[in-house]
């Protein structure tokens, strides 16, 4: 299995790659290729794909971890660049209208309607339950919150705003034989909840966690929980990026050791 980072907050060490706020990775497993999220800017996504010799047409399915702009903003350009339609797996709530209030009120949901994206070739498969995409590649399904989560923002309900639980936050589960790899977008469900859900759903140990953990600004006890959980679960590798936070990454690196930061162009083989 190979995971290649196409979109991340930080550009890598290969000349010509671009970094921008958001997340996207290409997953190659069992002869199939899945794109996880599309970052916030389609021009940046396509630029990095071309620089890394990845054609939009070779992607065989798309998985959206949740309905925030920094994971879905590249959808239009990605779909425009293809000659064929593509199945898009996600939770039914991804198109809910979302806003943030800090540092100012702004829209933070998917910047396109479902109907518009369908006209561009997206075939949405929206399910709350875990769904098989290809052999060894599954959506996690909706994740139960048994401990703290990292939900942010608000839902627009008529003229009212209600706190957004981000029920649509899901992860990609990759079965690699004796263990599994989990790919998160932002980890709004809480990384410990995600790990617990994966183990209770797929009954295998976790080899690695890859993606955003949404720990930026987290209190010390949450970081301590992550470290303890990582060790209790017996996870071998942690690849945090995007919304994890620089100081928080440094803490995890110091406490765990087997931690590598994500950047555009990074390739992970497992």
């Amino acid at each position: 299995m190979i995971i290649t980072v196409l979109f991340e907050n930080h550009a890598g060490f290969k000349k010509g790659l671009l970094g921008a706020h958001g997340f996207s990775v290409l997953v190659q497993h069992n002869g199939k290729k899945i794109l996880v999220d599309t970052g916030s800017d389609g021009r940046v996504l396509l630029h990095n794909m071309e620089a890394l010799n990845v054609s939009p047409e070779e992607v065989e399915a798309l998985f959206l971890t949740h309905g925030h702009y920094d994971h879905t903003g590249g959808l239009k350009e990605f779909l425009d660049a293809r000659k064929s339609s593509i199945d898009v797996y996600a939770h039914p709530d991804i198109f809910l209208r979302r806003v943030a209030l800090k540092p100012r009120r702004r829209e933070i949901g998917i910047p396109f309607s479902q109907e518009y994206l369908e006209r561009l070739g997206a075939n949405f498969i929206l399910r709350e339950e875990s769904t098989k995409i290809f052999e060894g590649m599954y959506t996690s399904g909706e994740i139960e919150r048994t401990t703290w989560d990292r939900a942010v923002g608000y839902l627009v309900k008529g003229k009212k705003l209600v706190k957004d639980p981000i029920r649509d936050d899901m992860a990609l589960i990759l079965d690699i034989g004796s263990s599994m790899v989990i790919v998160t977008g932002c980890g709004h469900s809480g990384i410990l909840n995600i790990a617990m859900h994966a183990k209770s759903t797929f009954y295998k140990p976790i080899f690695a966690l890859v993606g955003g953990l949404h720990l930026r600004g987290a209190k010390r006890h949450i970081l301590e929980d992550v470290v303890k959980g990582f060790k209790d679960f017996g996870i071998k590798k942690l690849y945090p990026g995007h919304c994890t936070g620089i100081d928080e990454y440094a803490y995890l690196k110091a406490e765990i050791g087997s931690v590598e930061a994500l950047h555009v162009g990074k390739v992970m083989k497992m």
Side-chain angles (χ1 to χ4, degrees):
M1 185 200 66
I2 303 173
I3 300 176
T4 304
V5 181
L6 303 178
F7 201 113
E8 245 288 336
N9 295 25
H10 306 287
F13 305 98
K14 179 180 177 181
K15 185 177 180 180
L17 298 176
L18 301 176
H21 180 67
F23 179 78
S24 178
V25 297
L26 178 71
V27 177
Q28 302 175 68
H29 187 42
N30 292 335
K32 296 292 185 179
K33 296 180 181 180
I34 290 180
L35 186 67
V36 179
D37 293 342
T38 63
S40 58
D41 188 323
R43 295 166 299 177
V44 173
L45 175 66
L46 293 180
H47 172 93
N48 288 337
M49 290 180 74
E50 182 177 4
L52 295 168
N53 297 313
V54 178
S55 166
E57 200 65 40
E58 71 188 69
V59 177
E60 296 166 274
L62 175 58
F63 170 59
L64 300 177
T65 59
H66 63 296
H68 280 159
Y69 77 97
D70 49 334
H71 296 259
T72 61
L75 277 168
K76 176 187 181 300
E77 284 84 355
F78 173 75
L79 293 171
D80 276 341
R82 292 175 56 85
K83 298 177 182 178
S84 58
S85 61
I86 188 170
D87 288 341
V88 182
Y89 293 81
H91 186 281
D93 285 354
I94 59 165
F95 287 101
L96 294 177
R97 187 181 172 196
R98 299 178 146 111
V99 300
L101 299 181
K102 295 179 180 179
R104 65 188 184 285
R105 176 165 173 156
R106 65 193 193 282
E107 301 283 337
I108 60 171
I110 297 181
F112 316 103
S113 70
Q114 180 174 346
E115 294 74 21
Y116 177 73
L117 294 172
E118 287 173 340
R119 290 198 297 271
L120 295 180
N123 174 36
F124 285 98
I125 300 170
L126 305 178
R127 295 174 182 165
E128 294 181 1
E129 66 274 11
S130 177
T131 302
K132 180 179 179 180
I133 302 176
F134 296 121
E135 189 64 38
M137 309 170 86
Y138 306 86
T139 72
S140 65
E142 190 170 305
I143 296 164
E144 183 181 4
R145 317 292 172 91
T146 57
T147 182
W148 50 262
D149 63 23
R150 301 297 287 167
V152 298
Y154 295 83
L155 294 174
V156 179
K157 298 285 188 179
K159 295 183 179 180
K160 296 182 179 180
L161 297 181
V162 296
K163 285 192 174 182
D164 186 0
I166 318 182
R167 303 305 308 183
D168 53 315
D169 181 71
M170 297 197 297
L172 181 69
I173 310 297
L174 303 166
D175 186 336
I176 59 171
S178 60
S179 59
M180 59 183 165
V181 174
I182 302 174
V183 180
T184 71
C186 266
H188 288 295
S189 299
I191 194 60
L192 298 184
N193 291 324
I194 293 170
M196 285 187 281
H197 174 85
K199 290 203 72 172
S200 64
T201 303
F202 295 92
Y203 306 104
K204 289 192 175 187
I206 302 167
F207 176 76
L209 286 167
V210 181
L213 307 184
H214 216 283
L215 294 174
R216 184 173 179 268
K219 294 182 179 180
R220 181 64 173 263
H221 75 88
I222 289 180
L223 298 178
E224 291 172 348
D225 279 353
V226 174
V227 171
K228 183 178 185 302
F230 183 94
K231 294 176 179 178
D232 288 347
F233 283 120
I235 301 169
K236 305 302 182 186
K237 293 288 293 186
L238 180 61
Y239 297 94
H242 181 40
C243 52
T244 301
I246 296 175
D247 292 342
E248 292 74 16
Y249 164 79
Y251 178 86
L252 296 176
K253 178 72 172 177
E255 294 294 323
I256 295 172
S258 53
V259 179
E260 296 180 27
L262 297 182
H263 57 76
V264 179
K266 185 174 181 64
V267 177
M268 292 150 280
K269 297 181 180 180
M270 291 173 255

